[in-house]
């Protein structure tokens, strides 16, 4: 079956795989099954039409075929999903390396009719006989590994039995999350931020809560699921709306309060992010100077050109930019100088053991770094008086943490402001 002419026959492919498994067993050879799912194909197909879509599929098939041997079988079983039976599977590492090469090659830009386009791919691998000798199981396992790759934003994932359970759990959470918004299960709480010197409240960080079946699920558990399913863009917009609406209420009550909103890297990378922020600002009529966007190091270094442009535009409308969890990412210090950053938030990991161990040193170094670059520095997760004293002594100006207050419902924040 020629994958270039269209779909392969599923039944034929299964028989082929079964025969190959049998032969491999006879000759005591290994076999691997690759399942490849394209990213970004659907968008191209929907916007540019099937003719271009088909060209992209053909080009993808060609690229895959160019990297495998004559003995291997490349096939397209449906939609934008390809499979490869690798007979030349010396080792699973070898197949993983080959798979990475395939993903890299597919990612190279394609040119059709004067349009340049780019797609991606996620690959899952299962091995025979290590994982299974049944064709059906190999399929299921490779598929599971492919989803694992997609969920964990990896290009290639090799099947492991633990994936199945994790995936079932994730799928369940994902489907529950898809209904959470309609069921009004999301809410925001606000954690006060203080000036250390006088304990004055200078603002609040908005934190999302998911009240599900009477329990509060931690954002640390469900934000990653929203990110991998792409739903974070929608939820992130909801968060912006809720936070700005609250801010407007405080603003109208005469409180010029700063509100910090956490921006997921996925949300930040969205080409429409800037427009969405401006639109939301305008709709709620809040003062941009009081909007603090918290972005992580990972989000800003993944695409430096996009970051520079987006941050510059956000700055020009007056928004404040903070680096969240500072010190935990793969920071190149160069970006601190080149991007318009207003505040560093020292991650709680470096505050936790103050003044013991090396944490005091790291926290105080971040303060020095931030101040010397003209930025504000806020310490997160401050729980004890000792920590606060240490930070004060080392010129850290702002803090946030249970010592000040836990995150509060908006109503209680108002009481705090009135005090
Ligand atoms: P984060 O941005 O670093 O938020 C600070 C977290 O530390 C919050 O946890 C907060 O409740 C907790 N915390 C504050 N003070 C203390 C303290 O003194 N001690 C300790 N041990 N913890 C403290 P939370 O609300 O569970 O959020 C966890 C993470 O989930 C956040 O970390 C953030 O990365 C993410 N997240 C929360 N809300 C949102 C949101 O609206 N959007 C996005 N994209 N991410 C969010
Ligand atoms: Ca796909
Ligand atoms: Ca934060
Ligand atoms: Ca943080």
């Amino acid at each position: 079956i020629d994958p270039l002419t269209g779909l392969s026959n599923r039944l034929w492919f299964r028989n082929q795989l079964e025969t190959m498994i049998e032969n491999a067993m006879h000759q005591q050879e290994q076999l691997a099954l690759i399942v490849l799912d394209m990213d970004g194909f659907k968008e191209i197909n929907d916007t540019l039409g099937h003719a271009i879509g088909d060209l992209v599929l053909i080009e993808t098939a060609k690229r895959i075929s160019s990297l495998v041997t004559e003995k291997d079988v490349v096939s397209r079983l449906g939609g934008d999903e390809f499979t490869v039976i690798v007979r030349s599977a010396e080792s699973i590492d070898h197949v993983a390396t080959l798979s990475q090469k395939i993903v890299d090659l597919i990612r190279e830009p394609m040119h059709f009719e004067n349009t340049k386009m780019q797609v991606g791919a996620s690959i899952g691998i299962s091995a025979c006989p290590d994982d299974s000798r049944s064709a059906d199981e190999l399929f299921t396992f490779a598929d599971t590994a492919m989803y694992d790759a997609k969920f964990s934003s990896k290009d290639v994932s090799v099947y492991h039995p633990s994936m199945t359970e994790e995936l079932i759990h994730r799928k369940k959470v994902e489907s529950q999350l898809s209904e959470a918004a309609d069921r009004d299960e999301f809410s925001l709480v606000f954690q006060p931020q203080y000036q250390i010197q006088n304990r004055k409240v200078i603002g609040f960080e908005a934190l999302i809560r998911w009240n599900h079946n009477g329990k509060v699920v931690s954002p640390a558990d469900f934000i990653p699921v929203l990110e991998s399913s792409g739903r974070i863009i929608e939820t992130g917009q909801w968060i912006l709306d809720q936070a700005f609406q609250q801010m407007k209420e405080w603003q109208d009550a005469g409180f010029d309060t700063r509100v910090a909103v956490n921006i997921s890297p996925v949300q930040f990378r969205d080409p429409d992010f800037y427009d969405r922020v401006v639109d939301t600002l305008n709709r709620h009529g809040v003062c941009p100077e009081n909007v603090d966007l918290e972005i992580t190091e990972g989000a800003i270094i993944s695409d430096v050109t996009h970051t520079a442009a987006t941050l510059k535009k956000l700055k020009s409308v007056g928004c404040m930019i903070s680096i969240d969890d500072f010190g935990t990412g793969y920071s190149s210090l160069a970006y601190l100088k080149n991007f318009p950053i207003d505040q560093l938030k020292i991650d709680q990991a470096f505050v936790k053991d103050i003044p013991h161990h090396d944490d005091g040193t790291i926290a105080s170094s971040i303060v020095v770094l931030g101040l010397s670059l003209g930025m504000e520095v806020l310490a997160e997760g401050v729980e004890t008086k000792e920590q606060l004293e240490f930070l004060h002594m080392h010129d850290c100006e702002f803090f946030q943490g249970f010592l000040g207050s836990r995150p509060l419902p908006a109503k209680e924040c108002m009481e705090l402001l009135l005090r």
Side-chain angles (χ1 to χ4, degrees), residues 28 60 111-112 116 136 161 171 175 246 266 271 283 306 308 312 321 372 389 397:
Q28 303 204 314
T60 305
H111 300 267
F112 302 113
K116 181 177 149 187
D136 282 345
K171 277 242 148 80
S175 92
Q246 190 54 58
V266 179
R283 266 190 293 112
H306 167 75
K312 213 172 127 196
I321 312 288
S372 68
E389 259 160 41
E397 208 180 341

Side-chain angles (χ1 to χ4, degrees), residues 13-32 85-87 128-129 132-136 138:
F13 188 81
R14 225 191 77 147
N15 288 338
Q16 185 81 1
L17 181 60
E18 274 173 356
T19 316
M20 284 181 163
I21 291 172
E22 241 168 68
N23 287 344
M25 291 307 96
H26 265 296
Q27 283 147 24
Q28 303 204 314
E29 280 174 5
Q30 289 206 65
L31 201 87
I85 309 174
V86 186
R87 289 165 85 181
C128 171
S132 173
R133 294 174 189 211
S134 126
D136 282 345
L138 282 176

Side-chain angles (χ1 to χ4, degrees), residues 167-201:
L167 228 81
I168 290 172
H169 175 70
R170 265 196 117 111
K171 277 242 148 80
K172 209 170 119 193
V173 176
E174 209 179 284
S175 92
Q176 289 167 344
L177 275 170
S178 68
E179 293 167 357
D182 289 340
R183 294 187 181 183
D184 259 346
E185 293 179 345
F186 288 132
S187 61
L188 289 187
V189 288
F190 298 84
Q191 187 174 36
Q193 301 178 323
Y194 303 83
Q195 185 139 29
I196 293 182
Q197 177 114 36
N198 53 17
R199 282 280 191 125
K200 224 183 109 205
V201 175

